[in-house]
Amino acid sequence: MDEWLNYDQFDRATWHSFFPSKRVNLTQENLDAIKSLNDQISIQDVQEVYLPLIKLLQLQYQNYIQMQLQRLTFLKKPSRRIPYIIGIAGSVAVGKSTTARLLQILLNRLMPDQRVELVTTDGFLYSNAELQKRGLMSRKGFPESYDMERLLTFLNDIKAGADQVTAPTYSHNTYDIMPDHPQIIEEPDILIVEGINVLQLPSTQRLYVSDFFDCSIYVDAEAELVKQWYLERFGLLLDTAFKNPDNYYYPYTKGKREDAFKMARKVWDEVDLPNLNDYILPTRNRADIILHKTHHHVIDRIYLRED
């Protein structure tokens, strides 16, 4: 069966033609400040890909608010805020974090009356101590390494309109959760949830994370390209963040560079690639929108699920 059967497919030029605005209100410096270390994004990318995407999200959000209001009126219930939740999935190193941060900034600027928050699911990983206790350190990032019950409870509280909800956070310096630094989410109108696991279907749960999403986006690229970006990022980190003695990978900066890259390739081959093939990529066809990347992180195709 053709996996793209239920999607409309657009090249970049056609996608841009749907909303050919040039009003960005961002500078290249703004973009450089939010992009991941080895990601690439330009003002042209914003104009040709992200502004049409934001326009589509605005239309969907307006329809969502109208439908919620009509439903509450029909049920004779008092009006209340029911946040609109956007999920963003994809492999490690594919650039989904950049996409999430950019969407948050653009939505905040183009919809100034709405409160837009961003949460990553890294914080819902079990702590390293807990992973070691469960014998799962070598499976970090796989579905069983996440506290899915806690993530589902968080999303349920958000959708229920709780005034304040806390989310755990994660340090990419120590590669562990930070229990003393929770993220406080207060009354969002739109919540973006970004993570490799947000479209997965864990068999042990009654609910899926994606059940709470009103729109889902998958950032896609060929595995060999993602591996290249992963190793490029690793090399940049060796020269920057990893030089911090507190960093989890600091010991690898003291030895031979080729030994460090040998370790990185091993992690990719034994952890990240199997996770991509077995658990992340199979969720792609559950997304409403797929942003396909080619060389140099260029988005060349956009797939939109048919209604």
Side-chain angles (χ1 to χ4, degrees):
M1 187 177 90
D2 185 354
E3 65 177 310
W4 305 115
L5 188 62
N6 296 322
Y7 288 89
D8 289 320
Q9 305 179 38
F10 308 102
D11 59 30
R12 186 170 170 132
T14 303
W15 180 254
H16 181 218
S17 72
F18 297 144
F19 188 67
S21 173
K22 294 186 179 297
R23 186 179 178 184
V24 176
N25 293 330
L26 289 172
T27 65
Q28 187 60 51
E29 289 74 20
N30 295 146
L31 299 180
D32 291 341
I34 64 168
K35 73 181 181 68
S36 296
L37 189 58
N38 68 318
D39 206 350
Q40 299 181 39
I41 189 167
S42 67
I43 294 296
Q44 186 176 3
D45 294 326
V46 176
Q47 292 173 337
E48 296 179 357
V49 176
Y50 287 97
L51 287 184
L53 176 58
I54 289 296
K55 182 61 177 179
L56 179 62
L57 291 174
Q58 283 181 296
L59 293 172
Q60 293 180 349
Y61 176 72
Q62 290 165 1
N63 289 337
Y64 170 81
I65 292 301
Q66 184 177 23
M67 185 62 198
Q68 293 301 324
L69 180 60
Q70 291 174 346
R71 182 176 180 274
L72 291 172
T73 300
F74 175 76
L75 296 174
K76 295 181 171 56
K77 291 186 174 182
S79 178
R80 66 183 181 91
R81 176 183 44 78
I82 305 176
Y84 184 83
I85 303 182
I86 301 170
I88 301 181
S91 171
V92 299
V94 79
K96 63 187 180 301
S97 297
T98 299
T99 293
R101 288 191 290 264
L102 180 56
L103 288 185
Q104 182 187 24
I105 287 177
L106 290 173
L107 286 168
N108 268 320
R109 294 198 177 193
L110 298 175
M111 302 171 66
D113 293 334
Q114 311 305 318
R115 186 182 183 92
V116 184
E117 297 280 5
L118 168 63
V119 169
T120 69
T121 61
D122 290 346
F124 292 90
L125 283 160
Y126 288 117
S127 68
N128 287 349
E130 182 64 23
L131 291 173
Q132 289 171 347
K133 179 181 176 182
R134 296 178 180 226
L136 292 175
M137 275 302 289
S138 63
R139 301 279 294 176
K140 192 170 184 177
F142 284 78
E144 62 268 30
S145 65
Y146 288 89
D147 188 344
M148 296 301 292
E149 196 68 41
R150 187 176 186 183
L151 177 55
L152 289 168
T153 299
F154 166 80
L155 290 172
N156 185 69
D157 291 344
I158 288 287
K159 209 62 171 171
D163 292 338
Q164 186 180 92
V165 184
T166 60
T169 57
Y170 185 83
S171 168
H172 287 277
N173 185 52
T174 62
Y175 282 75
D176 204 351
I177 63 169
M178 300 187 293
D180 297 330
H181 297 83
Q183 180 180 358
I184 309 300
I185 307 295
E186 295 183 340
E187 300 185 344
D189 297 293
I190 299 173
L191 177 68
I192 300 170
V193 182
E194 177 259 313
I196 62 175
N197 63 328
V198 297
L199 295 178
Q200 290 172 8
L201 304 176
S203 59
T204 58
Q205 302 293 340
R206 294 166 297 166
L207 287 173
Y208 304 137
V209 171
S210 57
D211 288 341
F212 294 95
F213 294 163
D214 301 292
C215 181
S216 55
I217 299 170
Y218 186 97
V219 183
D220 188 32
E222 298 300 321
E224 278 303 308
L225 272 181
V226 181
K227 178 180 180 180
Q228 174 190 324
W229 298 336
Y230 169 83
L231 293 174
E232 288 173 353
R233 181 177 69 181
F234 181 81
L236 291 170
L237 288 169
L238 271 180
D239 297 328
T240 54
F242 290 172
K243 289 186 178 297
N244 181 347
D246 295 329
N247 192 280
Y248 182 81
Y249 285 108
Y250 174 72
Y252 289 96
T253 67
K254 311 308 290 182
K256 294 181 180 179
R257 194 174 181 87
E258 54 264 33
D259 290 339
F261 271 95
K262 182 178 179 180
M263 180 277 300
R265 291 187 184 94
K266 180 180 174 67
V267 171
W268 173 263
D269 291 337
E270 297 183 1
V271 179
D272 294 319
L273 182 59
N275 197 14
L276 172 60
N277 287 333
D278 296 342
Y279 297 104
I280 303 172
L281 189 58
T283 70
R284 180 175 62 186
N285 64 0
R286 304 192 71 243
D288 299 307
I289 300 165
I290 299 170
L291 304 178
H292 182 272
K293 287 185 170 186
T294 185
H295 296 278
H296 309 296
H297 285 272
V298 173
I299 296 174
D300 62 341
R301 296 196 304 277
I302 296 90
Y303 297 83
L304 183 63
R305 180 179 292 282
E306 296 177 346
D307 291 333

